[in-house]
């Protein structure tokens, strides 16, 4: 089955700095990579995703990159704000299957004002 | 409803008791997923339904765990003879087929 590794487990930055979270996956059949933000007391919420036919995708201050050869993908947040503080999860799945994601262990991002 | 709801939000039970956790998906969503999330971990797949049919239950840890969705809407995850190791956050998500999953707030289960 799929195995997703996520680093770092915690990330502390100053407001305005950039934050990068990295994930690796093991199953070459995985072709869809969503990122979720989980705020305290809430369930994970999809914030951005990328498919294997694309190398990079950007949405305002967040961007994702994918290196399919190396089987790793990353989340980049620029100009971080205190409200970006949350736990972020990466996931990998095959969109041709049952659409069941395998999640990383999560990164707790703390943005200090 | 506006989103996925789960009840109860918190459940404390004694070892050996049965518990039933409820998920109310977004109206009209075909697919419903159950996950378990331990502290400091990502959600771990348990089982999922399309309409009322259970499509995959490979993630259920053992036969004390079962789930149903008899009318293709509300789902119940039942844990029989609970053990301390069952303590975790149980999350439900719903979606249209092969589409973005929307997660509920979860039920925090504590087994004493």
């Amino acid at each position: 089955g799929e195995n997703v590794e996520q680093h770092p487990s915690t990330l502390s930055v100053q407001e305005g700095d950039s934050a990068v979270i990295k994930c690796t996956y093991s199953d070459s059949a995985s072709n869809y990579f969503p990122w979720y933000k989980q705020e305290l007391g809430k369930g994970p919420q999809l914030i951005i995703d990328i498919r294997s036919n694309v190398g990079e995708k950007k949405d305002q201050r967040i961007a994702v990159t994918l290196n399919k050869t190396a089987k790793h993908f990353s989340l980049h947040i620029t100009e971080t704000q205190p409200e970006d503080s949350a736990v972020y999860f990466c996931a990998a799945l095959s969109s041709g299957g049952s659409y069941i994601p395998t999640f990383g262990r999560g990164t707790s991002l703390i943005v200090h004002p | 409803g506006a989103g996925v709801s789960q009840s109860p939000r918190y459940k404390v039970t004694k070892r050996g008791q049965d518990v039933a956790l409820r998920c109310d998906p977004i109206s009209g969503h075909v697919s419903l997923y159950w996950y378990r999330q331990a502290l400091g971990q990502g959600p771990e797949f348990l089982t999922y339904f399309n309409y009322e049919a259970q499509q995959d239950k490979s993630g259920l840890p053992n036969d004390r765990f079962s789930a149903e969705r008899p009318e293709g809407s509300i789902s119940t995850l039942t844990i029989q003879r609970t053990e301390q190791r069952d303590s975790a956050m149980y999350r439900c998500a719903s979606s249209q087929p092969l589409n973005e999953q929307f997660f509920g707030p979860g039920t925090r289960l504590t087994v004493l």
Side-chain angles (χ1 to χ4, degrees):
Chain A
E2 177 63 274
N3 181 47
V4 176
E5 299 283 341
Q6 182 172 348
H7 300 279
S9 56
T10 59
L11 181 57
S12 184
V13 300
Q14 287 297 128
E15 183 177 0
D17 289 350
S18 295
V20 180
I21 302 170
K22 298 183 179 182
C23 290
T24 62
Y25 63 100
S26 62
D27 189 350
S28 56
S30 291
N31 58 4
Y32 176 58
F33 307 92
W35 285 88
Y36 292 85
K37 177 182 181 182
Q38 183 173 311
E39 297 177 321
L40 204 60
K42 297 183 179 179
Q45 181 179 7
L46 180 71
I47 55 171
I48 196 167
D49 55 20
I50 191 167
R51 298 187 184 274
S52 60
N53 58 347
V54 174
E56 183 174 356
K57 183 176 178 181
K58 192 173 182 180
D59 183 4
Q60 298 181 10
R61 293 187 298 108
I62 59 174
V64 289
T65 59
L66 170 65
N67 183 326
K68 199 178 172 187
T69 303
K71 293 195 184 72
H72 64 71
F73 55 115
S74 300
L75 176 72
H76 304 252
I77 307 174
T78 58
E79 301 171 31
T80 53
Q81 302 168 2
E83 51 265 39
D84 294 331
S85 297
V87 179
Y88 291 81
F89 293 99
C90 63
L93 66 155
S94 170
S95 61
S98 54
Y99 223 70
I100 299 170
T102 300
F103 288 85
R105 294 181 64 164
T107 295
S108 178
L109 173 64
I110 302 169
V111 180
H112 298 280
Chain B
V4 178
S5 60
Q6 293 185 244
S7 61
R9 291 293 306 276
Y10 302 90
K11 178 68 179 179
V12 180
T13 190
K14 291 183 179 179
R15 188 177 52 186
Q17 297 294 307
D18 298 350
V19 294
L21 312 181
R22 173 183 164 130
C23 173
D24 201 338
I26 292 173
S27 179
H29 274 191
V30 168
S31 303
L32 185 148
Y33 301 76
W34 282 101
Y35 296 87
R36 180 168 67 177
Q37 187 173 6
L39 207 59
Q41 305 280 337
E44 179 187 4
F45 170 76
L46 296 176
T47 184
Y48 93 99
F49 296 81
N50 279 340
Y51 299 104
E52 72 282 359
Q54 191 170 21
Q55 300 292 323
D56 186 334
K57 56 181 181 179
S58 62
L60 295 177
N62 51 61
D63 59 9
R64 295 186 296 106
F65 288 72
S66 62
E68 62 174 11
R69 192 187 186 197
E71 297 179 359
S73 179
I74 294 168
S75 177
T76 302
L77 177 69
T78 301
I79 309 172
Q80 295 179 312
R81 305 180 301 282
T82 52
E83 301 177 4
Q84 286 186 326
R85 60 178 172 157
D86 299 334
S87 296
M89 177 72 81
Y90 289 83
R91 293 201 188 275
C92 171
S94 72
S95 75
Q96 294 298 10
L98 307 183
N99 216 316
E100 176 186 352
Q101 295 184 24
F102 293 84
F103 283 82
T107 294
R108 170 74 66 187
L109 174 66
T110 302
V111 182
L112 302 176

